Amino acid sequence: MTDLSKEELEARLGAIRRGPWSEGVVKAREQLAPVQPIPLSWKGFHPIALNEIALSASNKRKSGRLSKTLRPHFLGEGITDDKEIETRDALDDALTIPQLYELAVQTGYLPEDSVREPARAILTDLLWSGPARRFVEAYDYIAVPMLATRVGISGLFPTNPPEPEPSASLRFAGFLAHLRAFYSDEQVDKWLAFLDDYIVEDDEQDLVWEFLRGQRKKRPIRIVELLVGCQLFVTSLASAFHILSDDELGSYGLIHAYWLQKFFGYKRNGKGHFVKNAAVWGETDSWAKTFSTSARLVLPGTDPAIDKVERRQFIDQVALLEGAFEAVKRLARATRQITGRSERPVTIRDRVRL
Amino acid sequence: MAQLELVDRQEDLWLLLRQPNGGAGRSLAIFVHGFLGDHLTTWGRLPEMLREHAASEPFLANWDFLFLGYSTRQIASYLDIARIIATQWEKAATGKVPFTGKYTRFALLGHSLGTLGIRQLLCAAAMQPSQMLHALHSVTLFGTPLNGSPLASFGAKFIGGPIAEALKPGNPQLRMLRSWNESVHPLLQWKGVRVVLGTDDKVVGNKYADLIDFSGDAKPSFLLTFDHKNLVKPKEWPRSAIRDEILGALQ
């Protein structure tokens, strides 16, 4: 039972369902759809074991194709095929919804009953195949198996969803407001694309790094846009993390784990753990450090007093992001230990297992 | 007293904290965020603190709280922000959905660019809801760019769309607003505007040259060691200078 009116419930569910990630949901549902309908109904309360679904021959073949598309990128060569990237990005976007459902329930923003049907629908649509479920496991979408357990779905790594803490609903609302704005902001988007290696001139990342380090005088073409995008990225994340308690930083931060990892110069090793990307950054460098320590962080001509304040604020905000990333790493590590996943590194065999 | 209930309309960019089934005869404090903020995180934990403490603070007992938002890049002038405030005010004063009763008293609280939208609404009589100034209890402006912001001079076209131009020091929109304010205030005589500035706020400045008077403003109060962003983000409730300012606005 819930005290929320039907209108309020619908508005809250809609805000999660219809975010900037909606396009990814449609695309993921299309691209991950089984060839033949899966003989199960997500309606009702009956348990659903995703790993026990009997797949038809054509669905097995589809699952086989997905095992290549959705392979953990940290095993072997990276992902460079545009079509594969598109599908993976779509699934990543789509998984925002079950993550938000779970956080919404944990914080009392939404009652558990209200997410049961939509959660069962999206989880079965997206995760009927083994490769999609392994994608969830490999990339630490910890909230997804929690939600699955909550709504009677098994087949993902076992985990116990925490009891809802209703007093945290406003913090969830704040985070949701941030997330919707974050993924709607074109300047942040340009910065995220840059972090993700989308560049507009040869060696742009090297040029930007050299410019910020004072090793190059000529400005890279997009330097102002990237400075602005980076600062908006940092400010937006810091505003969101600021309202959270220390205990919440990990679970909320996981939604931004990919970008935090890139920003702080990390990658995943063969076990899927976050480790410093020493080959690119050495042991201490990163975009976070490069921007924070650059004399060119603040645009030329800025009043020295403003320069000083802006720089200090940026550094403080980056420190908050770093704290959140530490919490993310701790939570991912702890969850892997509890579920025993750290003892079983993701292997090449996983890539071909249906 | 029951905890304030949360009415959240993320897609419409507002959140209301209200007494369950309340509204009729109650008071509504409207919070308006600044440049590139959003309707909730701009205020840090303030919404949560208000929800937690409203019942135990006598001055807050009759107030509900509306956190209002807008997409900065879709704002061309202060008038656009003023219109958003006026629309919600009108609905609240007439008890239209989402409000469940007619509010009779209002307070406006803004941060940064949001304060200019509030100033604009005070001046633009044709835009004001019926009896607006009569129902206006107080106006509180945190970190208001009295003379624009030097920061707006840089990267404006990338940062915030057309409204970034309207934050530059001495820009035409701001000069027009000030002139409009000076012309209209003697006639409309709205309640004294409380200006709250941070001593470490370099975004809007706090030097003499930055502190251009607007008619109707009370003498600014300065919060020590607060910068532009943390000026509206209380760290705690009981011993917070921000709490004192809010209680001062709503008592």
Side-chain angles (χ1 to χ4, degrees):
Chain A
M1 285 296 289
T2 171
D3 293 335
L4 296 180
S5 68
K6 192 178 168 195
E7 183 191 8
E8 182 64 24
L9 257 182
E10 183 45 47
R12 294 188 191 188
L13 284 165
I16 293 175
R17 214 166 39 225
R18 294 187 291 268
W21 40 82
S22 303
E23 202 181 314
V25 179
V26 174
K27 205 178 280 179
R29 276 192 153 119
E30 259 171 37
Q31 296 185 0
L32 302 184
V35 179
Q36 291 183 313
I38 300 286
L40 63 83
S41 167
W42 47 261
K43 292 196 172 178
F45 291 81
H46 62 278
I48 297 174
L50 294 174
N51 54 339
E52 291 173 11
I53 297 171
L55 298 181
S56 66
S58 57
N59 285 344
K60 280 184 183 168
R61 284 194 294 278
K62 172 78 182 256
S63 183
R65 290 193 295 277
L66 289 175
S67 72
K68 178 174 181 298
T69 305
L70 300 178
R71 66 191 181 278
H73 77 280
F74 43 81
L75 295 174
E77 76 277 19
I79 314 293
T80 53
D81 180 84
D82 286 346
K83 186 73 184 161
E84 287 182 352
I85 291 172
E86 187 188 348
T87 303
R88 295 167 67 94
D89 284 352
L91 179 55
D92 184 58
D93 279 352
L95 288 171
T96 303
I97 291 183
Q99 290 182 90
L100 289 175
Y101 282 155
E102 173 58 23
L103 287 172
V105 171
Q106 283 182 20
T107 55
Y109 182 80
L110 284 172
E112 196 170 293
D113 289 353
S114 70
V115 304
R116 180 177 297 277
E117 279 205 4
R120 283 164 67 96
I122 195 167
L123 289 175
T124 50
D125 282 356
L126 297 178
L127 305 181
W128 62 270
S129 73
R133 295 197 295 279
R134 276 193 293 283
F135 186 89
V136 168
E137 181 175 340
Y139 292 104
D140 296 311
Y141 290 96
I142 291 167
V144 174
M146 284 181 185
L147 178 72
T149 304
R150 210 181 274 287
V151 300
I153 290 179
S154 59
L156 293 140
F157 58 89
T159 178
N160 291 324
E163 285 295 311
E165 191 212 330
S167 64
S169 57
L170 255 170
R171 294 203 285 281
F172 178 84
F175 186 82
L176 184 56
H178 141 78
L179 200 63
R180 292 174 61 86
F182 183 83
Y183 281 116
S184 304
D185 190 298
E186 59 193 64
Q187 291 306 325
V188 171
D189 198 47
K190 282 181 184 161
W191 168 249
L192 297 182
F194 176 79
L195 277 182
D196 221 7
D197 305 330
Y198 290 93
I199 54 176
V200 300
E201 60 179 321
D202 290 343
D203 303 320
E204 188 180 28
Q205 290 168 324
D206 289 343
L207 298 180
V208 169
W209 185 87
E210 287 166 9
F211 179 77
L212 292 172
R213 291 282 177 182
Q215 295 175 11
R216 160 180 296 274
K217 282 188 179 167
K218 190 180 172 194
R219 287 178 166 205
I221 295 169
R222 294 196 300 169
I223 191 64
V224 176
E225 276 183 274
L226 293 173
L227 279 166
V228 167
C230 177
Q231 293 193 24
L232 292 177
F233 165 86
V234 168
T235 299
S236 181
L237 289 178
S239 296
F241 293 147
H242 175 85
I243 61 174
L244 301 174
S245 67
D246 290 347
D247 292 345
E248 293 168 326
L249 278 177
S251 50
Y252 282 92
L254 267 168
I255 291 183
H256 289 304
Y258 182 74
W259 303 120
L260 291 170
Q261 158 205 300
K262 295 259 179 188
F263 189 55
F264 288 105
Y266 276 67
K267 65 172 187 174
R268 288 177 187 269
N269 67 10
K271 291 182 177 179
H273 295 164
F274 292 111
V275 292
K276 191 71 189 171
N277 190 354
V280 174
W281 291 105
E283 286 306 319
T284 57
D285 204 358
S286 64
W287 284 124
K289 186 165 183 189
T290 300
F291 276 80
S292 298
T293 56
S294 176
R296 290 165 163 163
L297 171 67
V298 179
L299 296 167
T302 305
D303 179 295
I306 293 173
D307 181 311
K308 195 174 160 191
V309 170
E310 284 297 292
R311 195 173 295 280
R312 195 195 69 213
Q313 279 183 358
F314 185 84
I315 290 168
D316 288 349
Q317 290 175 334
V318 168
L320 181 52
L321 268 55
E322 195 165 15
F325 185 47
E326 286 301 318
V328 165
K329 286 188 286 182
R330 273 198 306 276
L331 180 59
R333 202 163 42 235
T335 310
R336 281 166 184 264
Q337 280 166 358
I338 290 167
T339 59
R341 290 184 298 138
S342 60
E343 302 307 316
R344 188 181 73 77
V346 182
T347 66
I348 297 294
R349 274 188 305 166
D350 287 321
R351 291 168 55 179
V352 292
R353 195 183 300 157
L354 297 183
Chain B
M1 188 184 293
Q3 192 182 43
L4 296 175
E5 76 176 356
L6 188 164
V7 182
D8 191 16
R9 294 293 179 276
Q10 297 266 344
E11 292 176 291
D12 298 326
L13 302 177
W14 58 259
L15 180 141
L16 173 64
L17 293 174
R18 70 174 178 201
Q19 196 177 72
N21 304 313
R26 286 178 63 76
S27 306
L28 185 66
I30 301 177
F31 292 77
V32 189
H33 69 79
F35 186 70
L36 290 176
D38 68 55
H39 63 289
L40 285 175
T41 62
T42 287
W43 306 97
R45 287 193 155 196
L46 178 62
E48 196 175 346
M49 290 176 183
L50 288 171
R51 191 182 197 194
E52 189 180 339
H53 297 286
S56 57
E57 294 276 9
F59 291 141
L60 301 183
N62 196 44
W63 287 90
D64 292 343
F65 308 95
L66 176 66
F67 294 87
L68 207 49
Y70 52 88
S71 172
T72 298
R73 293 198 176 88
Q74 289 172 13
I75 296 293
S77 78
Y78 312 141
L79 283 165
D80 295 336
I81 301 172
R83 190 169 292 110
I84 291 167
I85 303 168
T87 300
Q88 292 300 327
W89 181 308
E90 177 72 34
K91 286 182 182 174
T94 53
K96 288 192 181 135
V97 175
F99 303 100
T100 52
K102 296 178 183 176
Y103 287 85
T104 54
R105 190 169 56 151
F106 293 79
L108 295 172
L109 300 99
H111 177 236
S112 195
L113 173 62
T115 68
L116 299 179
I118 290 173
R119 284 193 189 281
Q120 180 66 83
L121 182 60
L122 293 175
C123 296
M127 190 182 267
Q128 293 173 358
S130 168
Q131 298 291 307
M132 186 187 105
L133 295 183
H134 178 70
L136 180 64
H137 175 72
S138 65
V139 178
T140 307
L141 309 181
F142 292 93
T144 183
L146 293 161
N147 191 28
S149 167
L151 267 185
S153 302
F154 303 102
K157 72 173 179 169
F158 297 117
I159 298 176
I163 198 62
E165 295 292 326
L167 281 171
K168 289 182 179 176
N171 73 80
Q173 257 199 67
L174 189 54
R175 281 189 282 125
M176 188 169 72
L177 176 64
R178 184 158 179 272
S179 180
W180 197 339
N181 185 86
E182 307 311 295
S183 308
V184 171
H185 181 254
L187 305 172
L188 298 183
Q189 289 287 322
W190 52 81
K191 301 233 169 63
V193 172
R194 302 157 54 87
V195 174
V196 184
L197 300 171
T199 54
D200 287 355
D201 187 344
K202 301 285 194 275
V203 175
V204 298
N206 51 23
K207 297 176 197 159
Y208 180 76
D210 303 314
L211 302 179
I212 291 176
D213 270 347
F214 274 66
S215 287
D217 284 8
K219 194 176 168 193
S221 65
F222 286 92
L223 301 190
L224 289 175
T225 73
F226 281 86
D227 64 25
H228 193 65
K229 288 195 176 85
N230 67 24
L231 188 57
V232 288
K233 289 183 169 73
K235 286 184 179 159
E236 55 179 359
W237 185 253
R239 292 181 299 280
S240 160
I242 301 168
R243 165 191 174 268
D244 295 343
E245 293 297 337
I246 287 173
L247 292 186
L250 303 184
Q251 70 181 1

